Amino acid sequence: MASWETMSEHACFGGVQRFHRHASSEIGLPMRFALYLPPQALGGSAQRVPLLVYLAGLTCTEETFTMKAGAQRLASELGLALLMPDTSPRGANLAGEADAWDFGVGAGFYLDATRAPWAAHWRMESYLLEELLPQVAAHAPVDAARTGLFGHSMGGHGALTLALRHPGRFRSVSALAPICAPSECPWGQTAFSGYLGADRSAWDAHDATVLMRTQRAAPYPQGILIDQGLADKFLAEQLHPEAFEIACAAVAQPLTLRRHAGYDHGYYFIASFVDDHLRHHARQLKL
């Protein structure tokens, strides 16, 4: 299976949860990812199944969603493969790399850095689009033409921006508590300044709200789903879903933005609504 090293493998709801490591040519460092294959993709009657890619948030790895969200149960029922890449390059030993844990530069942000020293390895957009997804499509029993994308927080930002930046590549998109306007929040400003420099015009290409404003027609006419907790301590300063909501309305992009009283930013929130997201993607991927 490509040049992937299988680090562990676990039977899970009739399917198999695997954790892999491989040498990434785009990143120039080893990268890890998790792949769940449902029972429909295994055995003598195996078939190619739709693929749903989950992008995790700032302090997470390929293990976080895989182990905490409980998504495999419904993915098994729906016949949906799940791909969970790591969020960021690791092990480059750059000054400031560890600041990812303090919400600074170092977290991947699902873009290609253009500024030294980050540009050498921080190429998460190219890694995902040009390396990992083609490898998974070539070597796993998935149907690349039926690929959906979703994520949480920084990963929600990644899901929205990559879906808008690469029309036709993803058939469905959703997000949980996404960073919707990174150019206007401290997390995004820190990352964009470090990776892209001070020219804010370069930031626009990686800001979901700005990207949606530039659309001439609804890019996802079947609809985008976003869930947001109202007890999320990052909501007012960092996330700005209302800005994305306004941008969607301006171009007639159907958006279901659900606001939930009492829910915070963590994985209890994600686990509470992840099934709705899997069903959202299953409908659009025509399972």
Side-chain angles (χ1 to χ4, degrees), residues 170-203:
F170 302 99
R171 191 179 288 187
S172 55
V173 61
S174 72
L176 296 127
I179 303 172
C180 289
S183 299
E184 306 304 324
C185 77
W187 287 344
Q189 290 165 354
T190 299
F192 286 0
S193 296
Y195 296 146
L196 304 173
D199 182 1
R200 292 179 67 98
S201 65
W203 300 7

Side-chain angles (χ1 to χ4, degrees), residues 120-158:
H121 300 291
W122 266 249
R123 296 178 48 78
M124 287 300 297
E125 182 171 9
S126 290
Y127 168 67
L128 291 169
L129 275 294
E130 306 302 328
E131 185 172 9
L132 183 59
L133 281 172
Q135 284 191 16
V136 171
H139 299 286
V142 301
D143 181 356
R146 292 189 291 164
T147 300
L149 184 63
F150 76 137
H152 168 244
S153 191
M154 178 186 74
H157 143 78

Side-chain angles (χ1 to χ4, degrees), residues 37-48:
L37 295 176
Q40 295 86 341
L42 304 173
S45 59
Q47 55 187 290
R48 290 192 174 272

Side-chain angles (χ1 to χ4, degrees), residues 51-159:
L51 177 67
L52 180 55
V53 182
Y54 176 83
L55 304 181
L58 282 156
T59 61
C60 298
T61 72
E62 76 286 352
E63 293 184 331
T64 315
F65 176 87
T66 308
M67 299 177 73
K68 289 186 175 182
Q72 294 93 337
R73 182 190 295 271
L74 184 58
S76 171
E77 177 184 325
L78 295 172
L80 194 61
L82 301 174
L83 175 64
M84 287 71 63
D86 198 357
T87 64
S88 314
R90 301 183 191 275
N93 298 318
L94 299 181
E97 181 179 344
D99 290 345
W101 309 114
D102 297 319
F103 307 136
V105 180
F109 263 83
Y110 304 103
L111 52 74
D112 289 355
T114 58
R115 187 168 176 245
W118 307 101
H121 300 291
W122 266 249
R123 296 178 48 78
M124 287 300 297
E125 182 171 9
S126 290
Y127 168 67
L128 291 169
L129 275 294
E130 306 302 328
E131 185 172 9
L132 183 59
L133 281 172
Q135 284 191 16
V136 171
H139 299 286
V142 301
D143 181 356
R146 292 189 291 164
T147 300
L149 184 63
F150 76 137
H152 168 244
S153 191
M154 178 186 74
H157 143 78

